[in-house]
Amino acid sequence: MAAAQAEGDALRRVERYLEQEEGAQHRFTGWWGTLLFAAAVAMSLFHLYAAYGIVTTTTLRYAHVAFILAFSFLLFPAVRAWRDRFSWIDAACAALGVAAMVYAIVGGDAFLDRSTAPNAIDTAFGVALVALVLEAARRTTGWIMPAVVLAFLAYAMAGPWLPAPWTHRGYDLGRLIGTMYMTLEGIFGTAVDVSSTLIILFTIYGAFLQYSGAGKFYLDFSFAALGGKPTGAGRTVVLSSFLLGGPSGSGVATTVTLGSVAYPMLAKAGYERNAAGGLLAAGGLGAILSPPVLGAAAFLIAEFLKISYLDVIRMAVLPTCLYYFSLFLMVEIDARKYGMRLVDVGRGPSAWALVRRQGFHFVSLVAIVVFMLMGFSPIGAVFWAAMVAVATSFLDPDCALVDLRLLRDRPRGWLRALLVESRLVKALAAGSLGMINVGATCAAAGLIVGVVTLTGLGLKFSSIVIAYAGGSLLLTAIYTALIVWVVGLAVPVTASYIICAVIAAPALVTLGVPDFAAHMFIFYYAVLSEVSPPTALSPFAAAAITGGDPYRTTLQSWKYTLPAFVVPFMFVLDPIGVGLLLAVPKGGDWTDVARIAFLALVVLVAFAGAAEGWLLRRTSVAERLLLVGAGALVLFAHALRERFFAQTGVGEGHLELAGIALLAIAVASQLARARRAA
């Protein structure tokens, strides 16, 4: 009885953390629940049609925001105490949001042409829409995002009264509403453009995979492929996190999905509660870093930089490999540090047997890249990959999104079986509802981007950061990382990236960092906030599953992830650092890419050993200092040369060799101590 109650408490805690990430939703039943379910299916079908057919840009964005606002008010309660209660106020807000969008669609080109001089009706609808977007963001992500947006709007209106260098001409209500509501630079700007095309298509695609049993297959495959050693439990968590998280892009969801299955195995292997939760959260965090979704930021990066989505995937490949190499390395160290035990997970099917039976779940993942290499647009590639996922699900009757056996066994009830009981329809509904919080965040972030564009805040902010850093690229990078990290503590990763991409990236670009490297740097530090208190939702959710202490679990997550998060400094500080993004450095060649990849591995090994206090065996204080020094010398070689050795014959290659030598000395010391102990 006590065990069942404890399990129920843990499930409620997990649900609470998921709600902090995705918002608390009503669970309506009866005719009202059926109506909302049908509307969710219609939203997915509309966006699938828009990916294949012809829908104008403005109509698609307006309709997308209309769906987002309607579901934000009808599915997310104003306060938790009103959960599962129908409210006419919510229905009125939803209707007003839809009316504002219909007004814009019907207005056509004349509506857009009035953006510099909106009439009274335009202004009324615009003010209402801004208020509704802010409330939708509050309901789905919390109060901090709307508060940040309001601060930016206040900045836009208070320009003449601000002290230098923040002063600007100032904008009245009419000009603000005209920009935010009646152009494609505010609410309906880049963020909503990406949300209405790629993000929702990927959530639908991810729902198809989920409802066809791909998640269970990835878990079973990982267990079968990496078991058989004391490190098997940790390795399985790392590989499963990559396979589960890549298509979903959700850190918390990946952590929870994996934790409920994998924690008993980690406990049997010898992981204590907090360490197990830390590893689960670190693995879940990899979902936001891994292609193809990158926590929805991949599409935003492509849109901001005006590059192809395939280029973003290419840039993410090597950093993703380095991140998971770091996790695998930490798992190997843990096995020796804690004396991990071999875990028997039973005599299930072999990895090869699983692939023969359900390996088709890999096909659609590969299909995305194949379609883009064939010349399809990202939207077309994910659309057809989703169709491949639907088609291949029929290769196993237990995975089919439409159970043909039901149609055969119910000759008179086939329509109900298709429309109500099929996993396909449920996946369509889940696909649209799963991105409501992201859509609301993108709409609210559009207000911030609109203010930054209107006032030129990005250039002002970059000049201030550079001035505080004294023109030093190293200090500018550190300040930028801290700014992104602090912003990320308050808002979700997607919003954090959007905000900092427009206000912080210009500082790095001004100092000569390639724009794509600056954006990837900002994205990585936005992700780091996911394992940083007080908003460390992934570690908190993992702690709810393992029964560990949330803050100790968060510190364990830091331990696992921190070595990998020093690597992004190599993107911006070293001229050949762009090689980590699979870009040939200016004036260099592919040997520079291989060199920087090797140096990144050296940094990871050094910092992983220092973070764990263990390499081949427990490190002494001197060995730990050697490891920290080795990592720092290699990581900051270019910056140190520019700052201290520019007028000498010491080059960055000498500093890198010195760092490698320090690592070798630490390893030699470990080997000597091991021989003496033997």
Side-chain angles (χ1 to χ4, degrees):
M1 185 72 177
Q5 183 176 357
E7 184 177 353
D9 291 341
L11 289 174
R12 282 190 289 274
R13 288 197 299 272
V14 169
E15 184 178 3
R16 186 169 68 250
Y17 293 128
L18 277 171
E19 288 176 353
Q20 285 182 258
E21 173 81 1
E22 301 173 359
Q25 292 189 25
H26 292 298
R27 295 186 181 88
F28 290 122
T29 57
W31 68 271
W32 182 240
T34 301
L35 182 62
L36 291 177
F37 179 84
V41 173
M43 178 178 177
S44 288
L45 292 175
F46 169 74
H47 284 88
L48 287 171
Y49 170 76
Y52 181 75
I54 299 176
V55 177
T56 64
T57 299
T58 52
T59 300
L60 177 59
R61 297 186 194 183
Y62 294 150
H64 180 71
V65 172
F67 276 118
I68 292 295
L69 291 177
F71 281 119
S72 295
F73 287 101
L74 297 178
L75 283 179
F76 294 84
V79 295
R80 291 181 189 273
W82 296 352
R83 192 169 179 174
D84 300 335
R85 300 180 190 174
F86 174 81
S87 168
W88 285 107
I89 296 177
D90 291 345
C93 289
L96 180 58
V98 173
M101 297 299 95
V102 171
Y103 177 76
I105 293 172
V106 172
D109 292 338
F111 173 77
L112 298 174
D113 292 340
R114 293 197 303 272
S115 62
T116 55
N119 60 36
I121 300 178
D122 297 336
T123 302
F125 269 122
V127 171
L129 179 63
V130 170
L132 291 173
V133 166
L134 292 176
E135 174 61 9
R138 185 195 69 81
R139 293 190 182 204
T140 56
T141 63
W143 60 269
I144 295 179
M145 183 65 183
V148 172
V149 175
L150 285 172
F152 273 87
L153 292 174
Y155 171 78
M157 301 182 74
W161 299 283
L162 295 174
W166 302 100
T167 185
H168 60 88
R169 56 168 289 188
Y171 298 92
D172 59 18
L173 182 63
R175 181 65 187 278
L176 271 180
I177 293 301
T179 300
M180 302 303 168
Y181 176 41
M182 305 174 71
T183 70
L184 299 184
E185 296 178 356
I187 294 173
F188 308 105
T190 299
V192 163
D193 175 29
V194 172
S195 175
S196 64
T197 53
L198 287 165
I199 294 178
I200 188 167
L201 289 177
F202 264 97
T203 58
I204 295 169
Y205 165 64
F208 287 164
L209 288 180
Q210 176 189 348
Y211 277 83
S212 64
K216 184 179 184 304
F217 165 73
Y218 295 149
L219 285 170
D220 292 342
F221 173 78
S222 300
F223 291 159
L226 296 180
K229 290 185 178 181
T231 55
R235 288 178 177 181
T236 296
V237 167
V238 176
L239 179 58
S240 302
S241 300
F242 171 71
L243 292 175
L244 283 170
S248 74
S250 172
V252 176
T254 302
T255 299
V256 171
T257 302
L258 186 59
S260 58
V261 178
Y263 171 62
M265 179 180 62
L266 292 173
K268 289 178 183 178
Y271 282 87
E272 58 95 16
R273 295 176 184 273
N274 299 310
L279 180 59
L280 288 167
L285 190 70
I288 314 177
L289 301 171
S290 303
V293 178
L294 294 177
F299 322 121
L300 293 164
I301 293 171
E303 192 64 29
F304 275 123
L305 297 177
K306 303 304 179 187
I307 60 178
S308 77
Y309 167 67
L310 193 59
D311 287 334
V312 179
I313 291 181
R314 174 181 53 80
M315 290 192 298
V317 167
L318 195 50
T320 300
C321 292
L322 290 171
Y323 180 79
Y324 282 103
F325 168 80
S326 175
L327 287 187
F328 275 119
L329 184 62
M330 301 291 269
V331 165
E332 294 292 331
I333 293 174
D334 277 347
R336 292 157 179 76
K337 182 177 180 180
Y338 297 118
M340 296 299 177
R341 299 180 291 274
L342 177 64
V343 179
D344 182 10
V345 294
R347 293 182 175 274
S350 66
W352 177 240
L354 286 168
V355 170
R356 279 185 299 173
R357 184 184 174 191
Q358 294 186 347
F360 58 82
H361 288 302
F362 288 129
V363 173
S364 63
L365 293 176
V366 177
I368 295 175
V369 177
V370 171
F371 281 129
M372 283 192 287
L373 291 174
M374 291 171 59
F376 284 76
S377 69
I379 297 172
V382 68
F383 172 82
W384 287 111
M387 297 303 103
V388 169
V390 174
T392 55
S393 72
F394 290 96
L395 294 175
D396 185 342
D398 294 330
C399 298
L401 287 171
V402 177
D403 193 340
L404 299 179
R405 294 170 298 190
L406 284 177
L407 304 183
R408 180 193 62 204
D409 298 339
R410 300 183 186 179
R412 295 185 178 180
W414 65 270
L415 185 60
R416 175 179 174 80
L418 178 63
L419 296 181
V420 179
E421 299 178 22
S422 75
R423 289 191 286 263
L424 176 62
V425 176
K426 294 176 182 176
L428 287 170
S432 56
L433 297 181
M435 61 82 56
I436 299 302
N437 59 332
V438 176
T441 298
C442 287
L447 293 167
I448 295 175
V449 175
V451 169
V452 171
T453 303
L454 199 61
T455 62
L457 177 61
L459 294 176
K460 287 188 179 72
F461 190 83
S462 65
S463 64
I464 292 169
V465 171
I466 293 172
Y468 273 111
S472 166
L473 178 58
L474 174 59
L475 289 178
T476 301
I478 293 173
Y479 291 161
T480 302
L482 290 173
I483 291 166
V484 178
W485 178 58
V486 170
V487 171
L489 296 179
V491 297
V493 171
T494 303
S496 175
Y497 166 73
I498 294 172
I499 294 169
C500 296
V502 294
I503 67 170
L508 295 172
V509 174
T510 301
L511 292 178
V513 176
D515 55 359
F516 61 89
H519 280 257
M520 289 297 285
F521 178 84
I522 285 171
F523 165 63
Y524 267 77
Y525 278 94
V527 172
L528 182 60
S529 64
E530 279 284 295
V531 290
S532 303
T535 55
L537 297 183
S538 291
F540 281 26
I545 292 172
T546 65
D549 178 85
Y551 290 98
R552 290 183 180 178
T553 301
T554 301
L555 291 177
Q556 290 288 331
S557 298
W558 265 72
K559 180 192 76 173
Y560 283 115
T561 59
L562 214 51
F565 277 97
V566 298
V567 172
F569 273 97
M570 300 180 84
F571 300 168
V572 298
L573 296 182
D574 197 320
I576 68 169
V578 294
L580 291 177
L581 304 175
L582 292 184
V584 177
K586 186 177 181 180
D589 54 33
W590 284 101
T591 59
D592 292 318
V593 176
R595 175 187 162 200
I596 196 67
F598 170 74
L599 294 175
L601 292 176
V602 171
V603 171
L604 287 176
V605 171
F607 281 130
E612 286 275 18
W614 196 285
L615 202 56
L616 304 175
R617 58 186 294 119
R618 186 177 301 280
T619 59
S620 64
V621 174
E623 289 167 347
R624 207 166 189 176
L625 290 175
L626 284 171
L627 292 172
V628 172
L633 273 177
V634 176
L635 178 64
F636 300 118
H638 182 78
L640 290 172
R641 180 195 173 279
E642 293 293 313
R643 182 69 176 86
F644 299 108
F645 302 105
Q647 306 303 320
T648 69
V650 177
E652 59 190 89
H654 297 101
L655 296 174
E656 291 164 355
L657 287 174
I660 294 171
L662 291 181
L663 176 59
I665 293 170
V667 172
S669 174
Q670 290 256 296
L671 290 171
R673 289 175 57 208
R675 281 197 299 269
R676 287 197 301 269

